[in-house]
Amino acid sequence: MSWKKGDREERGYHHGNLREALIKAARDLIKEKGPAGFTFADAARSAGVSPAAPYRHFRDRDALLADVAREGFQRFEAMLATGWAGGKPDLITAFHNIGRAYLAFARAEPAYYTAMFESGVSPDLNAELRAASDRSFAVLRSAADQLVTLLPAGKRPPALMMSLHIWSMSHGIASLFGRGDGGRRSLPMTAEELLESEVLIYLQGLGFPQSA
Amino acid sequence: MSWKKGDREERGYHHGNLREALIKAARDLIKEKGPAGFTFADAARSAGVSPAAPYRHFRDRDALLADVAREGFQRFEAMLATGWAGGKPDLITAFHNIGRAYLAFARAEPAYYTAMFESGVSPDLNAELRAASDRSFAVLRSAADQLVTLLPAGKRPPALMMSLHIWSMSHGIASLFGRGDGGRRSLPMTAEELLESEVLIYLQGLGFPQSA
DNA sequence: TGTACATCAGTGAACGCGCGTTCACTGATGTAC
DNA sequence: TGTACATCAGTGAACGCGCGTTCACTGATGTAC
């Protein structure tokens, strides 16, 4: 069987693009059965190759998982940046949009989210993963940097602290209520409404105007 | 080998108290190797019994994990209640103390915390687990009920919403930074300081006085 | 109090299974000349 | 352009291992009389 290179991703030798195919297989299996519920052999089977083939691309299961997480952070960064949209239409609205993007990502990509935050893969053990994680956070950090300029110089909170606060709110809500794979708890309101009201009250506490 | 019933927990037939011993073994294994890193056979080995013995007490591995989570919620509830201390010395201070208790639990008992929130065991599938989880949340909810009475009647936020906000902040910080088993990210401040400042700003946003 | 019996927690051997990992190999693609 | 060789992604068979699960059993404890 030989494939023409019609698809942009289709290239290479025997399989075509086994590395990416294995990452996709891992994502599907994580979504189906949780981060613990997939094996190296499973991923090979899903990708339609022999159980020995993955060893050409990943040292072991953890290396594969780390690559899923790294790819996840890349997409996450892109979604957060799209939410922020360079601070348009106004800084406060754009800031709320980052939170929405955060929840949208957790909902749309529960497999990536799990690999990134709950798979036990430590970013500190993998420089590339760490860098991808840091770049995601930098979107939030940079938004906070710009947001504090709305306040008079003497009343500005530390932007780092502020971005950590927003991150923890978003992550808390996403973890508890906003997962696409059957969230663990039900709510009398949507996760988005809960986060939006939380951020609103928080910004009021810092003295931000209702809109800008 | 026969044991006198010196220890309060020591009773029963052959092993003494295998059920509790298995739960403790599961906790130790989760703490060591993560929620995915223990098996039914592992737990039996740690408890010093044959691999068939656990079947007398738990249907399968998930049932054991659910019981770890249930026991975790019981201790969690107790810690939160101790933090609140009936609203002493004053409601605002006691409210902050619940947050501290939340983080202290995640730090001191990472194995329970993992089983409760990240093991994939759904509270909805187990009535007892669900009830234990609800009782934990009820501590926070009841504290919020009392706290809102500090505000004039027309300016009181819904206590349910408020308790969900506080829960998500605490859970977000505990998950991201405040784990006893080698948290995944380092911080320029303690998790406790981060949560305390976050809650403080949030309460200011709702119009609460600095102390009461 | 003593005896006979019922109960049931835990045993240990056995099984089938799928995983992780290795190995010499095959065969398509890339490259030197 | 063609030929010979090097490279390397993927094969498939094999292995040891530990897991989950079952089974008839054993033996300590509880209970009826």
Side-chain angles (χ1 to χ4, degrees):
Chain A
M1 220 182 302
S2 80
W3 297 74
K4 277 295 166 202
K5 307 187 180 178
D7 201 6
R8 182 165 45 90
E9 294 293 299
E10 209 67 49
R11 69 195 149 92
Y13 309 90
H14 295 81
H15 173 278
N17 200 353
L18 182 55
R19 185 185 184 86
E20 281 306 312
L22 286 170
I23 292 179
K24 175 159 181 16
R27 277 203 291 138
D28 291 346
L29 291 164
I30 291 170
K31 199 194 296 187
E32 251 181 74
K33 308 192 267 177
F38 95 98
T39 67
F40 221 33
D42 250 342
R45 204 174 305 122
S46 290
V49 294
S50 83
Y55 288 89
R56 299 282 172 201
H57 299 277
F58 301 98
R59 196 164 48 81
D60 56 20
R61 207 193 85 115
D62 273 1
L64 172 54
L65 208 51
D67 247 48
V68 174
R70 192 178 50 71
E71 200 176 282
F73 274 117
Q74 282 172 6
R75 299 198 185 200
F76 188 50
E77 179 195 357
M79 273 194 83
L80 296 183
T82 301
W84 175 242
K88 306 284 179 189
D90 64 86
L91 296 178
I92 299 274
T93 302
F95 201 67
H96 279 290
N97 285 340
I98 295 182
R100 282 196 201 93
Y102 198 115
L103 294 185
F105 182 84
R107 182 160 312 194
E109 302 286 1
Y112 275 132
Y113 199 82
T114 300
M116 289 154 62
F117 293 112
E118 293 170 14
S119 67
V121 174
S122 172
D124 295 319
L125 296 177
N126 183 322
E128 283 184 49
L129 179 55
R130 177 56 181 261
S133 164
D134 286 350
R135 276 195 302 274
S136 296
F137 178 66
V139 176
L140 205 48
R141 173 66 206 269
S142 141
D145 277 333
Q146 294 176 62
L147 205 64
V148 296
T149 64
L150 292 178
L151 294 177
K155 298 192 139 194
R156 292 178 187 167
L160 172 59
M161 182 195 76
M162 195 177 152
S163 48
L164 289 169
H165 285 161
I166 298 296
W167 193 14
S168 66
M169 290 177 190
S170 308
H171 182 71
I173 288 179
S175 297
L176 291 169
F177 314 109
R179 298 292 287 285
D181 51 356
R184 59 175 59 248
R185 270 154 240 273
S186 53
L187 271 185
M189 62 201 84
T190 68
E192 281 74 10
E193 288 164 349
L194 191 64
L195 179 59
E196 183 157 357
S197 57
E198 188 169 340
V199 173
L200 196 66
I201 292 164
Y202 176 83
L203 292 181
Q204 276 174 351
L206 287 174
F208 281 94
Q210 294 283 44
S211 70
Chain B
M1 220 182 299
S2 82
W3 297 75
K4 276 297 166 198
K5 307 185 181 178
D7 201 5
R8 181 166 42 91
E9 295 293 298
E10 210 67 51
R11 68 194 149 95
Y13 309 89
H14 294 81
H15 173 279
N17 200 353
L18 183 54
R19 184 183 185 87
E20 281 305 312
L22 286 170
I23 291 178
K24 174 160 180 16
R27 277 201 291 138
D28 291 345
L29 291 165
I30 291 169
K31 199 193 299 187
E32 251 181 73
K33 307 192 264 175
F38 94 98
T39 65
F40 221 34
D42 250 342
R45 202 174 306 121
S46 290
V49 295
S50 83
Y55 290 87
R56 299 282 171 200
H57 300 277
F58 301 97
R59 198 164 46 81
D60 56 19
R61 206 192 86 114
D62 272 2
L64 171 53
L65 207 50
D67 248 49
V68 174
R70 191 180 51 71
E71 200 176 282
F73 274 116
Q74 282 172 6
R75 299 198 186 200
F76 188 50
E77 179 195 357
M79 272 193 84
L80 296 183
T82 302
W84 174 242
K88 305 286 177 187
D90 64 86
L91 295 179
I92 299 274
T93 301
F95 201 66
H96 279 290
N97 285 340
I98 295 182
R100 282 196 202 94
Y102 198 115
L103 294 185
F105 182 84
R107 183 159 311 193
E109 302 285 359
Y112 275 132
Y113 200 82
T114 299
M116 290 155 61
F117 292 112
E118 293 169 14
S119 66
V121 174
S122 173
D124 296 319
L125 297 177
N126 183 323
E128 284 184 51
L129 179 55
R130 176 56 180 260
S133 164
D134 286 350
R135 276 194 301 274
S136 296
F137 178 65
V139 176
L140 205 47
R141 172 66 206 270
S142 142
D145 277 332
Q146 294 175 63
L147 205 63
V148 296
T149 63
L150 293 177
L151 294 177
K155 300 193 137 193
R156 291 177 189 168
L160 172 60
M161 181 195 76
M162 195 178 151
S163 47
L164 289 169
H165 285 162
I166 297 297
W167 193 14
S168 66
M169 291 177 190
S170 309
H171 182 71
I173 289 180
S175 297
L176 291 169
F177 314 110
R179 299 290 288 284
D181 51 356
R184 61 175 57 246
R185 270 155 241 274
S186 53
L187 270 185
M189 62 200 84
T190 68
E192 280 75 10
E193 288 165 349
L194 191 65
L195 179 59
E196 183 157 358
S197 56
E198 188 170 341
V199 172
L200 196 65
I201 292 165
Y202 176 83
L203 292 181
Q204 274 173 353
L206 286 174
F208 280 93
Q210 294 284 42
S211 68

